[in-house]
Amino acid sequence: MKVNPDFFELTPLAQRFVSQLAQCRRLGIKVHEGSEHHVLLELPYSQALIGYPDTGVIHGGVITTLIDTASGTAVVCAIQEKFQTLEISPTLDLRVDYMRPAEPGKSVYAFAECYRLSSNIAFTRAIAYQDSIDEPIAHAVGSFMRISPEMVGETFRNALLEDNVILGPVVTELAHCPDEGKSPKPMDVKEIVRRVAELNDFGHLLEQVPYARFIGMEVERFGDELVCRLPSRDANIGNPVLPAIHGGVIAGFMEMSAIVQLMVFMQTSRVPKVVDFSIDYLRAGLHKDTFAECIITRQGRRVANVNISCWQTNRKQLIATARAHFLID
């Protein structure tokens, strides 16, 4: 793929911004282009990111993380060019439509643009693709809250202006996966679901999904209620200043929570595939344990609708809500 990093003068700024996000460093996300009009990012393929073990397709949450990062970076570049200032703009909401699965073994690219800047809100759109932008994997629109430059802080501002300055925890790129290069293994979903029902063994289910292990997800059952837990991990941090969990990680955690809910309570014979995912961020997801619960609002023969709620210290003070459609047949 041809890129032009030298032609776009905001590429270094975009690179420094993405490098500050611990989750992005671990994923190995690369910045190829950055301008006042767009950014172009690359996510290398890794079997550690697989969400569908029987096919080797990466988890939708990884795509969401890439898109959220690209969109946020586009906002940083647009504000810098228009106002000659540095701002951090947290995600307010993001809607992702998944059009086709990402082909295993190939990088995924995200092209994002900030097409409207108001005094308070930045609006973005993005496309994730592999071989051609005309054959998208996913399309997304989002909005970001503008925060005054004074709230960025001198430490973070200086990190965005100087090379090789990394804030937050030390996180290395994704290590080589032991199963890298091997063919996907068949997944007996019915047997896994049966084991969950009989033994209440969610660990076995989550072990089958590399992405669930990647973010450290856990599940507990209380009667007919499932509560999913995302333990506090340095590698999941996005904002190093607060610090706060990367919005894409929160979205991926919520999406995986919905998948587990559908598999267990609908006795699916395959891993449900996400069709669309819409998330609203209500407050910062701080660097602490995070929880999620799901409600299946509609179940058809082929498609299910799920609402997901996410919180930290107080169940009544949600940090995010989401709605998603899944193919279950």
Side-chain angles (χ1 to χ4, degrees):
M1 178 181 177
K2 294 182 179 180
V3 295
N4 300 287
D6 297 329
F7 183 76
F8 301 106
E9 60 182 17
L10 292 179
T11 301
L13 172 62
Q15 290 172 331
R16 289 192 289 267
F17 175 74
V18 172
S19 70
Q20 296 302 323
L21 314 181
Q23 175 69 184
C24 295
R25 295 201 301 275
R26 191 178 182 213
L27 289 170
I29 292 178
K30 305 172 185 176
V31 178
H32 289 298
E33 298 174 355
S35 76
E36 69 272 27
H37 301 299
H38 82 291
V39 296
L40 178 64
L41 272 55
E42 177 187 359
L43 170 72
Y45 178 82
S46 171
Q47 289 192 336
L49 306 178
I50 289 174
Y52 301 89
D54 53 339
T55 62
V57 173
I58 61 176
H59 196 279
V62 186
I63 302 295
T64 303
T65 299
L66 176 65
I67 286 175
D68 184 44
T69 301
S71 299
T73 307
V75 173
V76 170
C77 290
I79 291 175
Q80 170 63 22
E81 179 64 21
K82 186 173 182 178
F83 300 107
Q84 296 299 302
T85 186
L86 293 172
E87 295 182 13
I88 299 177
S89 300
T91 315
L92 287 176
D93 60 64
L94 190 69
R95 176 189 166 88
V96 184
D97 294 312
Y98 297 91
M99 301 176 183
R100 67 178 74 226
E103 185 176 339
K106 292 183 177 181
S107 291
V108 178
Y109 298 87
F111 179 96
E113 59 180 335
C114 176
Y115 65 92
R116 173 80 170 94
L117 272 177
S118 73
S119 58
N120 295 303
I121 309 295
F123 300 90
T124 65
R125 51 194 169 211
I127 295 177
Y129 65 96
Q130 288 180 304
D131 297 321
S132 171
I133 198 170
D134 295 322
E135 297 179 351
I137 294 168
H139 177 273
V141 292
S143 60
F144 293 74
M145 184 72 193
R146 291 188 57 190
I147 295 179
S148 64
E150 292 75 18
M151 296 182 66
V152 174
E154 285 299 320
T155 301
F156 193 74
R157 182 181 290 106
N158 291 336
L160 295 183
L161 295 174
E162 301 176 17
D163 291 329
N164 303 317
V165 177
I166 303 297
L167 304 178
V170 176
V171 177
T172 56
E173 287 190 20
L174 197 57
H176 178 75
C177 182
D179 296 328
E180 207 77 52
K182 297 181 181 179
S183 300
K185 299 178 181 180
M187 185 176 180
D188 190 341
V189 174
K190 287 187 176 181
E191 173 58 26
I192 292 172
V193 172
R194 183 198 64 79
R195 180 170 175 173
V196 169
E198 292 184 0
L199 305 177
N200 205 31
D201 183 9
F202 289 93
H204 179 66
L205 188 161
L206 297 175
E207 272 295 313
Q208 307 303 310
V209 184
Y211 180 72
R213 302 198 304 268
F214 177 77
I215 62 175
M217 179 176 168
E218 301 172 359
V219 180
E220 293 186 13
R221 184 169 185 170
F222 303 93
D224 289 333
E225 182 181 68
L226 293 187
V227 176
C228 300
R229 175 174 172 261
L230 181 67
S232 173
R233 281 190 173 187
D234 286 349
N236 289 336
I237 289 177
N239 183 335
V241 178
L242 289 177
I245 305 169
H246 193 295
V249 175
I250 293 174
F253 166 59
M254 294 173 76
E255 181 184 319
M256 190 63 213
S257 299
I259 289 173
V260 172
Q261 185 91 8
L262 289 169
M263 290 177 68
V264 173
F265 288 103
M266 293 183 62
Q267 301 289 301
T268 62
S269 59
R270 55 188 286 187
V271 179
K273 295 182 179 179
V274 63
V275 176
D276 59 61
F277 188 88
S278 181
I279 182 169
D280 294 313
Y281 296 94
L282 308 178
R283 48 176 53 88
L286 301 177
H287 187 29
K288 58 178 67 174
D289 287 4
T290 305
F291 305 89
E293 62 179 355
C294 308
I295 298 175
I296 301 172
T297 53
R298 184 181 185 280
Q299 171 188 343
R301 288 191 303 169
R302 300 182 62 190
V303 177
N305 178 282
V306 184
N307 284 342
I308 312 111
S309 299
C310 189
W311 73 93
Q312 291 186 317
T313 55
N314 190 329
R315 205 169 191 153
K316 294 183 179 180
Q317 294 181 346
L318 301 179
I319 65 169
T321 62
R323 179 185 63 82
H325 286 98
F326 292 87
L327 282 174
I328 54 177
D329 184 15

